[in-house]
Amino acid sequence: MLEKWLKEGFIRHKPDQLTVNQYEPGQGIPAHIDTHSAFEDEIISLSLGSEIIMDFKHPDGVTVPVMLPLRSLLVMTGESRYLWTHGITPRKFDTVQASKGHKSGIITGDVGDLTLSKRGIRTSFTFRKVRQTPCDCSYPLVCDSQMKEPPPSFPESDKEASQLEQKYVHQVYEEIAGHFSSTRHTPWPHIVEFLKALPSGSLVADVGCGNGKYLGINKELYMIGCDRSQNLVDICREKQYQAFVCDALSVPVRSGSCDACISIAVIHHFATAERRMAALQEIARLLRSGGKALIYVWAMEQEYQKKKSKYLRENKSNQGRQEISSDPSAQELFVEPVPDTGHQDSACSIPSINDFQKGRYHSREVANSMLPIHTNRTSFHSQDLLVPWHLKGNASKEKPTEPFGPAGTHDTGPVLHRYYHVFCEGELEAACQTLNNVSILQSYYDQGNWCVILQKA
Ligand SMILES: O=C(O)CCC(=O)C(=O)O
Ligand SMILES: [Fe+2]
């Protein structure tokens, strides 16, 4: 059989290991990725005795149920072998496509075309090739050969949060600064409008100024930028802007000295609600009485009032991947089979002001749960996540390259991950309402971001 499959091109390498599993109706196998370091790329499974639905899950939460018919051969290679988990839900019936009979393939969510199929006893023959050298696949975050340390989990203390930010925000920006800057050239209109409306001579701080995109918008202002990344600050200085390195939690500027502040796409990099609050409070501290601040954070809702954000619209290659169910438990699936705790709620819960004041609000209640890795240009399934950055070298010389890469593709450059807490509708406002001596002048949604304009009393 193996010879035949080789000859017919189903497989390229001859397996040397076989596992036989028998499933009674009602039995299954937890979602898992076969250990990278133990086996080569191709893993194949022959189904005998009964058909079954196998669920494939991407770490971003997308689930794809696949029908494995009687006497079929499943071939897992590349992304499906290394990145997606596979598993069989323990149950006695499967939901299958009525029109396709019992043909292999993805089960779509078309409710009009679904029917139940009773499971019989299934015996599977899983063939693998034992790996002799460490795995060097392109999915280092789920690869036990390449994992130098355990993947990051939700921070439980301020110290853990600060370490997470250090590694998954500060260090990453330091490394991607050049490439990042080459992709940040277009100022957003509403931010330009805010800056242009300020009286000439205003002293304005840009907290988390990045490459200084907003520092030169209005020449009538005296703008100072600060950022945690030395490399980004250097880029600002090359453009002759005033900028310095500092942490947004402690900006070395006298209280009440700024006529206005902006903080664009910064607060979402703080890893606890308390730290996000502290960052907002620090911005408020800088403002003089009557001074205004404009804050932008990334929104969980990338589709708002029936309109997809630019971030989603720029997904060029997401066809063929169907989002059938967004199972929140899938967030933990990129490592080892873990029972579905049902705790990780991907839905937004807006904390009450009371919760903020008592420091009670944590978007996660589960200890030690791993941070999911987001698939770029897709909707969010979790508020706290890691967003991949596809680093391209020599960014300054080449024409700007796409940092997010088309979804589902994996190019050659290294992939770095930045931590984000994406905000739900109302969350930024709720946080701002607890600030001392500050009122919310305006709040709005702008291209996938939640935004507020604050005023100091
Ligand atoms: O039963 C199957 O087809 C798959 C079994 C499996 O995933 C495994 O043994 O790792
Ligand atoms: Fe497996």
Side-chain angles (χ1 to χ4, degrees):
M1 244 168 10
L2 292 175
E3 297 296 348
K4 187 175 154 210
W5 294 340
L6 273 165
K7 212 171 104 217
E8 293 188 2
F10 297 143
I11 52 174
R12 278 174 299 168
H13 309 285
K14 192 168 177 176
D16 56 10
Q17 192 266 355
L18 170 63
T19 305
V20 182
N21 288 320
Q22 189 157 71
Y23 303 83
E24 297 285 338
Q27 291 184 324
I29 184 167
H32 66 279
I33 300 173
D34 290 37
T35 310
H36 288 206
S37 63
F39 304 108
E40 292 283 348
D41 186 2
E42 278 172 347
I43 294 181
I44 57 177
S45 185
L46 178 66
S47 294
L48 298 177
S50 173
E51 65 187 24
I52 212 153
I53 297 294
M54 184 175 270
D55 292 318
F56 284 82
K57 289 183 189 173
H58 191 276
D60 74 0
V62 174
T63 302
V64 179
V66 178
M67 158 65 105
L68 306 181
L70 198 58
R71 306 182 68 196
S72 68
L73 184 69
L74 165 75
V75 182
M76 293 183 278
T77 63
E79 196 173 304
S80 66
R81 180 266 178 271
Y82 286 128
L83 185 65
W84 293 63
T85 67
H86 56 279
I88 296 168
T89 306
R91 61 186 173 212
K92 294 196 169 149
F93 290 86
D94 281 315
T95 309
V96 302
Q97 216 82 62
S99 63
K100 281 197 190 148
H102 295 235
K103 283 205 210 62
S104 61
I106 294 169
I107 309 296
T108 68
D110 177 5
V111 279
D113 186 35
L114 296 177
T115 187
L116 285 181
S117 158
K118 194 172 193 302
R119 282 189 190 169
I121 297 173
R122 171 176 179 265
T123 308
S124 68
F125 289 71
T126 304
F127 297 89
R128 310 177 177 98
K129 188 165 168 26
V130 174
R131 190 186 282 282
Q132 307 293 349
T133 52
C135 179
D136 62 348
C137 67
S138 7
Y139 313 95
L141 269 173
V142 292
C143 179
D144 61 313
S145 288
Q146 298 174 66
M147 231 182 269
K148 289 174 210 83
E149 47 204 282
S153 54
F154 297 99
E156 282 189 80
S157 62
D158 192 68
K159 186 167 170 240
E160 277 180 25
S162 144
Q163 287 166 346
L164 180 75
E165 291 160 15
Q166 177 65 34
K167 187 149 189 277
Y168 289 92
V169 180
H170 308 161
Q171 280 182 27
V172 177
Y173 274 104
E174 216 57 304
E175 268 186 74
I176 68 174
H179 182 205
F180 175 83
S181 180
S182 75
T183 66
R184 294 295 185 280
H185 25 75
T186 321
W188 294 347
H190 284 100
I191 301 167
V192 172
E193 203 181 294
F194 176 85
L195 292 170
K196 292 222 159 137
L198 293 170
S200 94
S202 294
L203 173 62
V204 183
D206 184 350
V207 179
C209 63
N211 68 345
K213 186 166 96 162
Y214 294 106
L215 296 178
I217 293 290
N218 180 350
K219 301 274 185 275
E220 304 301 314
L221 305 176
Y222 185 75
M223 282 199 79
I224 47 167
C226 61
D227 202 280
R228 195 65 180 66
S229 158
Q230 177 71 59
N231 290 339
L232 286 171
V233 165
D234 287 345
I235 291 171
C236 294
R237 288 182 179 164
E238 279 165 25
K239 300 179 189 168
Q240 313 300 321
Y241 295 138
Q242 300 285 332
F244 56 90
V245 175
C246 79
D247 196 295
L249 292 179
S250 127
V251 181
V253 170
R254 198 182 302 150
S255 302
S257 58
C258 295
D259 297 302
C261 291
I262 61 170
S263 181
I264 311 302
V266 175
I267 310 284
H268 53 217
H269 284 312
F270 287 98
T272 64
E274 292 77 14
R275 292 171 71 79
R276 292 187 282 275
M277 278 296 308
L280 289 166
Q281 192 68 66
E282 183 65 353
I283 291 166
R285 183 186 67 77
L286 303 179
L287 292 176
R288 65 155 167 86
S289 170
K292 290 180 192 169
L294 173 66
I295 320 270
Y296 267 57
V297 292
W298 213 3
M300 174 93 171
E301 299 83 357
Q302 288 299 310
E303 194 165 341
Y304 190 65
Q305 294 176 339
K306 302 229 163 79
K307 219 176 140 230
K308 283 190 165 67
S309 70
K310 191 163 176 275
Y311 176 73
L312 285 187
R313 288 201 312 272
E314 284 182 1
N315 183 351
K316 292 154 205 139
S317 63
N318 207 20
Q319 296 90 14
R321 180 187 289 176
Q322 276 147 309
E323 197 156 335
I324 290 150
S325 75
S326 49
D327 176 1
S329 69
Q331 290 155 10
E332 58 211 10
L333 290 171
F334 66 89
V335 213
E336 279 299 301
V338 183
D340 183 356
T341 59
H343 282 299
Q344 295 194 3
D345 189 359
S346 70
C348 288
S349 58
I350 313 268
S352 67
I353 290 178
N354 219 9
D355 286 339
F356 271 114
Q357 283 165 344
K358 296 202 174 114
R360 209 195 287 149
Y361 173 59
H362 298 277
S363 62
R364 300 284 150 189
E365 280 160 21
V366 186
N368 270 326
S369 40
M370 239 77 81
L371 285 168
I373 303 168
H374 176 59
T375 299
N376 284 312
R377 308 285 178 205
T378 65
S379 44
F380 294 116
H381 298 280
S382 164
Q383 274 196 272
D384 297 274
L385 36 83
L386 297 174
V387 177
W389 180 280
H390 296 256
L391 186 62
K392 302 276 164 59
N394 269 337
S396 54
K397 293 187 197 82
E398 290 167 14
K399 79 184 209 356
T401 46
E402 181 56 68
F404 290 130
T409 67
H410 294 269
D411 22 36
T412 45
V415 181
L416 292 96
H417 293 86
R418 281 175 304 163
Y419 165 82
Y420 278 84
H421 170 85
V422 290
F423 281 65
C424 288
E425 180 162 21
E427 189 179 340
L428 179 62
E429 280 160 283
C432 291
Q433 272 159 14
T434 70
L435 297 172
N436 301 325
N437 302 322
V438 166
S439 57
I440 302 175
L441 283 186
Q442 230 191 85
S443 57
Y444 58 98
Y445 180 87
D446 184 12
Q447 286 297 341
N449 297 278
W450 291 113
C451 323
V452 287
I453 299 179
L454 307 175
Q455 187 164 41
K456 183 95 163 259

